Amino acid sequence: MGVTAARKVEEQVALFERRGAAVVWAPALSSDPNQVDDASLRAATEEVLSGPVDVFLATTGVGMKAWFAAAESWGILDDLLAALGRADILARGPESVGALRRRGLRELWAPASEEFEDVLEHLRGRDLTGKRIVVQEHGQSLSMVAHALRRRGADVTTVTVYRVASAEDPEPMFHLIDEIADRAVHAVTFTSAPAVAALMEAAGSTGRREEVVGAFQADVIASCVGPVTAAAFEMWGVPSIYPERSRLVAMVKQLE
């Protein structure tokens, strides 16, 4: 089993090894999300505080925690919590819900699927004309989402708390790419869409992308934690599997 996760990797490896599998670990991404520079985040926060917020979209727990911690260090956490507390809060999943509730904020709605697309679908049923929407980005740019909301008449502010970066040491990923291309692994797991992109980018840099795609299409299972991660494979024509519930244990059980 190839494992590309950088976080909660010990748990995943243990789940596989308890089932008798051998694991090749190659983190696709950095174990620590890269924080944007302090000045940029503060400027974005002050823009949020410049007027009333109608709708707030919280997308990740780690992002919310980092944002609140930064605001606390600047002495404006109470102002930020007050501004967000007056908005309709839509949270993508339990981690973002947990981060909000620890600071006394309550979500108006969160999708059972934990998918950001369902949050946007929920918004499509509302008149957004003139509404001020703040979107906490989740490691990848949500500029297209912001643009789509603006087309519906909303005033959108995006807050970039962090960006996902590639793994510090690329050698394990290069090794896994060889293992995939040579059909030396039976399956590879992915827990985020950026991990898929990182693997394909690395495969291209080694000149083995076509072999990797061919292996995934024929002999190696691409196992994803959920539909958003699986969708990242569609542009490559790679079939993938994912469990009904987007959970690590469910993914491992499905592979078993």
Side-chain angles (χ1 to χ4, degrees), residues 57-62 64 89-102 107 109-119 136 138 245-247:
L57 307 185
T59 60
T60 64
V62 66
M64 292 309 306
I89 299 177
L90 307 182
R92 183 179 65 88
E95 292 189 1
S96 53
V97 166
L100 290 165
R101 291 185 180 181
R102 277 191 287 274
E107 75 286 357
W109 183 83
S113 65
E114 302 174 27
E115 304 302 340
F116 190 63
E117 286 75 7
D118 288 338
V119 176
Q136 176 247 322
H138 59 0
R245 281 178 57 78
S246 301
R247 292 286 188 273

Side-chain angles (χ1 to χ4, degrees), residues 79-155:
D79 293 337
L80 178 60
L81 294 177
L84 299 181
R86 289 189 288 268
D88 290 346
I89 299 177
L90 307 182
R92 183 179 65 88
E95 292 189 1
S96 53
V97 166
L100 290 165
R101 291 185 180 181
R102 277 191 287 274
R103 295 293 188 169
L105 298 176
R106 299 288 297 191
E107 75 286 357
L108 178 69
W109 183 83
S113 65
E114 302 174 27
E115 304 302 340
F116 190 63
E117 286 75 7
D118 288 338
V119 176
L120 297 179
E121 184 63 34
H122 182 78
L123 278 177
R124 289 187 187 105
R126 302 175 58 165
D127 180 6
L128 301 182
T129 305
K131 298 294 185 183
R132 186 161 186 250
I133 301 176
V134 172
V135 182
Q136 176 247 322
E137 292 190 327
H138 59 0
Q140 289 181 294
S141 172
L142 293 176
S143 59
M144 293 301 291
V145 169
H147 180 67
L149 293 174
R150 289 185 186 113
R151 289 187 66 190
R152 296 185 52 210
D155 173 13

Side-chain angles (χ1 to χ4, degrees), residues 7-16 18 248-249 252:
R7 298 174 63 233
K8 297 183 179 178
V9 66
E10 295 86 358
E11 179 185 354
Q12 188 178 163
V13 170
L15 286 167
F16 280 129
R18 281 203 297 269
L248 180 61
V249 173
V252 173

Side-chain angles (χ1 to χ4, degrees), residues 4-219:
T4 63
R7 298 174 63 233
K8 297 183 179 178
V9 66
E10 295 86 358
E11 179 185 354
Q12 188 178 163
V13 170
L15 286 167
F16 280 129
E17 290 181 342
R18 281 203 297 269
R19 288 162 169 79
V23 175
V24 178
W25 178 47
L29 304 172
S30 170
S31 58
D32 244 347
N34 277 4
Q35 302 295 320
V36 299
D37 68 275
D38 194 72
S40 296
L41 181 56
R42 181 157 191 175
T45 305
E46 290 175 350
E47 183 181 354
V48 170
L49 297 176
S50 67
V53 179
D54 297 302
V55 181
F56 172 57
L57 307 185
T59 60
T60 64
V62 66
M64 292 309 306
K65 291 174 188 173
W67 190 14
F68 290 150
E72 192 168 32
S73 72
W74 304 324
I76 58 174
L77 176 61
D78 289 345
D79 293 337
L80 178 60
L81 294 177
L84 299 181
R86 289 189 288 268
D88 290 346
I89 299 177
L90 307 182
R92 183 179 65 88
E95 292 189 1
S96 53
V97 166
L100 290 165
R101 291 185 180 181
R102 277 191 287 274
R103 295 293 188 169
L105 298 176
R106 299 288 297 191
E107 75 286 357
L108 178 69
W109 183 83
S113 65
E114 302 174 27
E115 304 302 340
F116 190 63
E117 286 75 7
D118 288 338
V119 176
L120 297 179
E121 184 63 34
H122 182 78
L123 278 177
R124 289 187 187 105
R126 302 175 58 165
D127 180 6
L128 301 182
T129 305
K131 298 294 185 183
R132 186 161 186 250
I133 301 176
V134 172
V135 182
Q136 176 247 322
E137 292 190 327
H138 59 0
Q140 289 181 294
S141 172
L142 293 176
S143 59
M144 293 301 291
V145 169
H147 180 67
L149 293 174
R150 289 185 186 113
R151 289 187 66 190
R152 296 185 52 210
D155 173 13
V156 184
T157 299
T158 58
V159 178
T160 304
V161 182
Y162 65 91
R163 282 275 180 256
V164 174
S166 297
E168 292 81 359
D169 180 6
E171 283 305 320
M173 180 55 63
F174 291 152
H175 173 67
L176 178 59
I177 287 165
D178 289 337
E179 294 271 286
I180 296 168
D182 297 338
R183 275 71 163 178
V185 290
H186 295 96
V188 183
T189 62
F190 298 86
T191 54
S192 72
V196 176
L199 180 135
M200 288 301 185
E201 182 181 354
S205 70
T206 63
R208 304 203 75 177
R209 184 182 291 156
E210 287 188 14
E211 294 174 88
V212 166
V213 170
F216 277 134
Q217 289 173 335
D219 301 307

Side-chain angles (χ1 to χ4, degrees), residues 200-246:
M200 288 301 185
E201 182 181 354
S205 70
T206 63
R208 304 203 75 177
R209 184 182 291 156
E210 287 188 14
E211 294 174 88
V212 166
V213 170
F216 277 134
Q217 289 173 335
D219 301 307
V220 180
I221 297 172
S223 172
C224 299
V225 75
V228 173
T229 303
F233 272 118
E234 291 178 2
M235 66 178 291
W236 305 103
V238 169
S240 60
I241 63 172
Y242 58 87
E244 287 187 12
R245 281 178 57 78
S246 301

